[in-house]
Amino acid sequence: LAKTTQPISMDSYEGQEVNITCSHNNIATNDYITWYQQFPSQGPRFIIQGYKTKVTNEVASLFIPADRKSSTLSLPRVSLSDTAVYYCLVILRMDSSYKLIFGSGTRLLVRP
Amino acid sequence: DTAVSQTPKYLVTQMGNDKSIKCEQNLGHDTMYWYKQDSKKFLKIMFSYNNKELIINETVPNRFSPKSPDKAHLNLHINSLELGDSAVYFCASSLGGDGNEQFFGPGTRLTVL
C-alpha cells in the first residue's frame, strides 16, 4: 500500500521560490497526485493535480519524475499569504474502487 | 453562496452521547466525502459516497454511520462518543470520484468531554 512522506515544515522568505517534495512509494502508473493547501480553521483547498512530467497552473507547478516515486510542488515567488499547510494526496485505483491517501502535511512559513 | 456547508461548526458534548453532523453541497457533484483531521493535522478519509452509494468505507468504528438522503447531502452520525473522537471533521465533494478536485467544507470541530 502506498505511503506518502512530506517534510514537517519549511521556512521561506517573500519572493522566493518554494519547492515541497512528497515521496510516495508503490504508486501505480495510473494514479493521480494532487496537492492541497490549508489555512487555519479552513478546509483544504485544491492547488494542482498531475499524472506525469510537469503540470503548471496560475498558482503552482507540479513536477513528477519518470519513476513517480515523488512529486514536487513548486510555488513561485511566495508571499506572506502562502503561509499554510500543504498536503499531497495520492489516489490509488483498485478494481472498481480507489483509496485516498493524504501526506502528513508540510507547514510552510513565509517570512517578510 | 457557500459551495459545501457543514453544521454545526462547533460541537461540544459529553462522552457517551450520540451526535450528528450535517453536510450539504450545492455544486451538483456526484461524490461526497467525510474526513477526520486530528490534533496533529493528519487528514484521514472515513467515507465516500457516489450518487448516494457508499464507495469508500475506511476502517472506522461502526459507531460512525454516514447517511446520504440524496446526492447533495451526506450526514455523519456518531454513537456513543468517546474522547478520541475529538477532532475536526471535514465534508468534501467532487464531480465524480477517484481523483477529481475536491471542494471542502469549513469543518466541524467536535470536542468530547
Side-chain angles (χ1 to χ4, degrees):
Chain A
L1 189 65
K3 179 183 174 183
T4 55
T5 305
Q6 304 177 230
I8 294 173
S9 62
M10 295 182 70
D11 278 16
S12 181
Y13 290 92
E14 280 190 292
Q16 288 186 334
E17 178 184 79
V18 170
N19 296 308
I20 305 174
T21 296
C22 177
S23 299
H24 25 75
N25 61 346
N26 277 348
I27 186 172
T29 56
N30 58 349
D31 295 343
Y32 285 108
I33 300 158
T34 312
W35 285 80
Y36 285 83
Q37 175 191 56
Q38 186 179 28
F39 296 113
S41 302
Q42 294 185 23
R45 187 177 68 174
F46 175 92
I47 302 175
I48 196 166
Q49 181 179 68
Y51 172 68
K52 59 181 179 181
T53 60
K54 177 183 175 182
V55 178
T56 297
N57 62 21
E58 62 275 10
V59 297
S61 293
L62 178 60
F63 299 92
I64 304 169
D67 66 6
R68 290 170 50 80
K69 292 187 177 182
S70 66
S71 61
T72 299
L73 172 71
S74 181
L75 304 173
R77 298 179 298 282
V78 293
S79 62
L80 297 178
S81 62
D82 292 318
T83 293
V85 179
Y86 293 83
Y87 294 91
C88 63
L89 169 64
V90 172
I91 296 103
L92 305 182
R93 302 175 190 275
M94 303 179 308
D95 296 328
S96 60
S97 184
Y98 57 95
K99 289 183 81 69
L100 302 172
I101 300 176
F102 271 94
S104 53
T106 299
R107 189 176 300 275
L108 172 65
L109 174 61
V110 180
R111 302 176 188 275
Chain B
D1 287 343
T2 304
V4 181
S5 59
Q6 298 179 225
T7 53
K9 188 167 176 64
Y10 300 96
L11 185 53
V12 181
T13 188
Q14 301 285 333
M15 279 176 57
N17 284 351
D18 303 338
K19 291 293 179 185
S20 292
I21 307 173
K22 295 185 177 182
C23 178
E24 177 181 2
Q25 55 94 2
N26 61 7
L27 298 167
H29 288 167
D30 298 323
T31 306
M32 296 185 71
Y33 313 80
W34 275 110
Y35 289 88
K36 179 180 180 180
Q37 186 170 46
D38 60 23
S39 57
K40 294 183 178 179
K41 304 300 183 186
F42 294 135
L43 264 170
K44 289 191 176 177
I45 186 157
M46 301 173 70
F47 304 102
S48 176
Y49 271 71
N50 182 269
N51 276 324
K52 303 196 303 175
E53 277 194 45
L54 182 65
I55 55 171
I56 293 180
N57 186 0
E58 292 295 319
T59 306
V60 299
N62 56 16
R63 299 181 294 104
F64 290 80
S65 54
K67 285 186 172 53
S68 182
D70 55 62
K71 75 173 193 178
H73 297 83
L74 181 61
N75 304 323
L76 183 65
H77 188 75
I78 315 170
N79 289 328
S80 304
L81 278 156
E82 300 178 356
L83 294 177
D85 297 332
S86 294
V88 180
Y89 292 84
F90 287 101
C91 176
S93 73
S94 65
L95 186 63
D98 68 353
N100 287 16
E101 176 183 352
Q102 295 181 44
F103 293 78
F104 282 78
T108 296
R109 181 175 293 277
L110 171 66
T111 302
V112 182
L113 303 175

